[in-house]
Amino acid sequence: MRSTLFAAALAIAAIGPALAQAPAAPAMRAVGMTLSSPDFPDGGIIPDPFTGKVNTPGQPPKAVSPALTWSGTPAGTQSFVLIMHDLDVMVGKGTGDNLHWLAFNIPGTATALPQNVPTTATLADGTIQPRNRNSHGYQGPGAPAPIYHHYVFGIWALDAKLNLDENATRDEVLKAMDGHVLDKGFTVGRFHR
């Protein structure tokens, strides 16, 4: 009996340091930035005024951008990037999707974007909106019935401004963001015609 207890004690003593050196499980991310819209709930249906449903073929898009608000901005934020895309579209059997809105160098002091942001390459506050699929600025959802598409709005807080212009692609913006992201928040709207 003593030898069994002694052997068990030796085994515990031998593996104790190994257990102490084992890496800890990654901590869950504390709630940080949140993004929402007063125009639709997270996961809800995007109302028609903010969609391509109001468009007439051959005419300029009439959809207006929904208002967006965010909170929980981390200290040191110098700018924000906003990306809206349709996750449910398959482009050319690849991993791509449809970009509906890209804006970067949104001032780091901002906490919201109003409804109906102008569809221009640059805004008065220095925000840059590169061309998405067809135009600068917001392009409303236009998924055909009967399946709802999920439109993800994401906001990223960066510790720098991006040294890019209105000709930047989404891939170039994402590459320039790498290493500068302080936090991010998302909201999702659904739509079909």
Side-chain angles (χ1 to χ4, degrees):
M1 175 83 166
R2 271 190 188 178
S3 62
T4 305
L5 288 175
F6 183 70
L10 281 176
I12 291 171
I15 64 168
L19 290 175
Q21 294 174 5
M28 294 298 289
R29 179 166 106 66
V31 174
M33 287 186 68
T34 59
L35 176 66
S36 62
S37 175
D39 297 318
F40 60 90
D42 186 29
I45 306 301
I46 300 173
D48 287 352
F50 310 108
T51 73
K53 194 170 186 176
V54 298
N55 291 343
T56 304
Q59 298 295 315
K62 295 179 183 175
V64 299
S65 60
L68 297 171
T69 61
W70 55 91
S71 62
T73 299
T77 298
Q78 297 299 307
S79 71
F80 295 98
V81 172
L82 173 74
I83 299 174
M84 175 200 171
H85 56 123
D86 176 355
L87 289 182
D88 297 307
V89 170
M90 289 268 295
V91 178
K93 296 186 179 180
T95 59
D97 57 29
N98 277 348
L99 178 66
H100 282 262
W101 196 7
L102 174 59
F104 64 88
N105 288 349
I106 300 167
T109 55
T111 58
L113 288 173
Q115 274 188 13
N116 202 18
V117 171
T119 54
T120 56
T122 57
L123 302 178
D125 63 5
T127 297
I128 298 174
Q129 301 184 107
R131 187 174 297 278
N132 48 48
R133 293 182 301 155
N134 302 317
S135 60
H136 295 280
Y138 179 79
Q139 184 174 5
I147 301 195
Y148 281 103
H149 282 212
H150 296 79
Y151 295 86
V152 177
F153 295 77
I155 191 87
W156 283 261
L158 307 182
D159 65 5
K161 285 190 168 186
L162 302 183
N163 189 22
L164 298 170
D165 63 21
E166 67 271 5
N167 297 309
T169 65
R170 174 169 49 172
D171 287 344
E172 290 169 337
V173 170
L174 291 172
K175 184 176 179 182
M177 289 168 58
D178 194 31
H180 295 286
V181 177
L182 298 174
D183 206 347
K184 55 190 173 180
F186 299 92
T187 193
V188 177
R190 296 180 297 128
F191 176 78
H192 72 61
R193 288 180 186 271

